[in-house]
């Protein structure tokens, strides 16, 4: 279980101090796919980076499985991060390493044997559907394939938790759907608890059983996803839902127009062939 207790984070800049998070208290239960949603600048990425202490909170506490880890450093911090996998929007793969070498990089850092690391790496590439791309380099992979490699790498250390920081934002709609289904599989089959940071309501609706809405550095609404979607209380939540509905309607209209265009083209082709046949 992940617990954030009265967490705050303030950055000091040349222009003065900037409060990115204010008094955040949140519990992510084991087995959850818990979503955090908000507009750009709401503090989402700062929050998720505080969970694995890539950012040190200014105040408050981070508890993992009941243990306060806020002040961990050195070897204890490295061991903690072994329990918490993380995937990013930009994939963050090593260009000079092939897919398998990228996946097993965390295992090499902890000095696993070459044989054991390779075996684990191939198991994970199989899980994400890319065993046949083990020797391919990032430049030879599509965006969706690169993200699958990144997910496999995040699972290398058998983590209990997986943090997803805008993991689908750089992907097209179809690829996003495939990645979300993969995350559901990881949650259900491997028992990995997932914390999803996103600005897309579609992501929350598709895979998250719980959601918290972040606005102005604070959590303004939270609950089961179905309940929050059915009766959004805050204006920001209503706005995000309205935007999501408008985008879904636009996508449906575009797909319908494409289908009509394809049908018209086929009709024209058949008519042409019939005329040509008569001649």
């Amino acid at each position: 279980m992940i617990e954030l207790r009265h967490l705050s984070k303030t950055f000091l800049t040349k222009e003065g101090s900037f409060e990115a998070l204010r008094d955040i208290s949140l519990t992510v239960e084991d087995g959850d796919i818990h979503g955090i949603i908000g507009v750009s600048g709401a503090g989402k990425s700062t929050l998720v980076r505080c969970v694995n202490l890539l950012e040190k909170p200014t105040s408050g506490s981070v508890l993992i499985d009941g243990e306060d880890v806020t002040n961990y450093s050195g070897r204890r911090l490295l061991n903690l991060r072994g329990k918490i996998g993380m995937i990013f929007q930009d994939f963050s793969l090593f260009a000079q390493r092939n897919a398998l070498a990228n996946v097993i990089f965390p295992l090499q850092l902890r000095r696993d044997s070459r044989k054991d690391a390779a075996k684990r790496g191939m198991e994970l590439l199989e899980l994400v559907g890319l065993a046949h791309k083990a020797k391919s380099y990032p430049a030879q992979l599509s965006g969706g394939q690169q993200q699958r490699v990144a997910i496999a790498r995040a699972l290398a250390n058998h983590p209990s938790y997986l943090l997803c920081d805008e993991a689908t934002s750089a992907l097209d709609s179809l690829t996003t759907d495939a990645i979300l289904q993969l995350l559901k599989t990881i949650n259900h089959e491997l028992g990995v608890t997932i914390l999803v940071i996103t600005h897309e309501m579609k992501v929350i609706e598709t895979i998250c059983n719980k959601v918290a809405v972040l606005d102005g550095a604070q959590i303004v609404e939270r609950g089961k996803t179905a309940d929050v979607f059915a009766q959004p209380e805050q204006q920001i939540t209503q706005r995000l839902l309205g935007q999501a509905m408008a985008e879904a309607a636009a996508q449906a209209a575009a797909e319908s127009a494409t289908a009509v265009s394809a049908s018209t083209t086929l009709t024209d082709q058949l008519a042409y062939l019939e005329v040509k046949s008569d001649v």
Side-chain angles (χ1 to χ4, degrees):
M1 183 167 63
I2 298 171
E3 296 177 83
L4 307 180
R5 295 182 180 175
H6 304 291
L7 195 76
S8 295
K9 176 65 180 181
T10 300
F11 292 99
L12 298 178
T13 69
K14 292 180 180 179
E15 291 75 28
S17 62
F18 169 70
E19 190 176 40
L21 298 173
R22 185 188 317 128
D23 196 26
I24 300 289
S25 291
L26 179 72
T27 298
V28 181
E29 301 281 353
D30 289 344
D32 278 351
I33 303 182
H34 199 302
I36 306 289
I37 191 166
V39 299
S40 179
K44 305 184 302 296
S45 291
T46 301
L47 188 152
V48 76
R49 289 168 65 87
C50 283
V51 172
N52 59 7
L53 302 178
L54 286 175
E55 293 286 356
K56 279 289 233 181
T58 304
S59 62
S61 303
V62 179
L63 284 77
I64 305 294
D65 297 332
E67 185 172 354
D68 189 339
V69 301
T70 315
N71 295 313
Y72 273 20
S73 61
R75 177 57 60 181
R76 288 205 302 173
L77 181 56
L78 289 175
N79 290 338
L80 171 70
R81 288 177 179 163
K83 295 176 60 176
I84 306 173
M86 188 166 185
I87 56 176
F88 304 87
Q89 177 180 350
D90 62 358
F91 319 138
S92 300
L93 300 180
F94 297 108
Q96 295 77 24
R97 286 174 164 259
N98 63 30
L100 178 59
N102 266 284
V103 172
I104 66 175
F105 180 70
L107 304 180
Q108 292 174 327
L109 287 180
R110 72 180 193 187
R111 302 186 184 281
D112 282 19
S113 73
R114 189 173 298 179
K115 180 180 178 181
D116 288 345
K119 179 182 177 183
R120 175 64 175 164
M122 288 306 300
E123 289 173 351
L124 290 169
L125 286 174
E126 182 72 36
L127 173 69
V128 302
L130 287 180
H132 62 297
K133 295 288 188 179
K135 295 183 179 180
S136 298
Y137 288 83
Q140 299 170 310
L141 301 174
S142 68
Q145 289 171 335
Q146 289 184 60
Q147 192 60 291
R148 286 174 180 269
V149 173
I151 292 171
R153 182 181 60 188
L155 296 172
N157 281 321
H158 300 276
S160 300
Y161 306 99
L162 183 61
L163 310 180
C164 303
D165 188 6
E166 298 280 9
T168 61
S169 294
L171 306 176
D172 60 63
S173 180
L174 288 176
T175 307
T176 292
D177 289 342
I179 293 297
L180 294 179
Q181 290 306 311
L182 174 58
L183 291 176
K184 287 177 72 172
T185 297
I186 290 167
N187 173 256
H188 294 158
E189 296 186 8
L190 302 184
V192 177
T193 300
I194 302 177
L195 180 60
V196 177
I197 304 299
T198 184
H199 65 276
E200 300 174 279
M201 275 294 192
K202 174 185 176 182
V203 172
I204 301 294
E205 181 181 20
T206 301
I207 65 170
C208 297
N209 62 309
K210 295 176 185 174
V211 63
V213 182
L214 198 60
D215 187 43
Q218 293 182 296
I219 291 178
V220 296
E221 191 162 2
R222 74 183 78 200
K224 294 181 179 179
T225 301
D227 294 340
V228 172
F229 274 42
Q231 292 184 313
E233 296 178 359
Q234 299 298 317
Q235 188 175 33
I236 181 64
T237 313
Q238 295 167 5
R239 181 153 62 91
L240 288 168
L241 281 168
Q243 180 181 334
M245 292 174 65
E247 290 173 352
Q251 182 179 345
E255 291 173 352
S256 176
T258 299
V260 170
S261 177
S263 176
T264 301
T265 300
L266 179 59
T267 300
D268 290 345
Q269 290 173 344
L270 290 174
Y272 171 78
L273 291 174
E274 288 174 359
V275 170
K276 188 173 181 180
S277 175
D278 290 341
V279 173

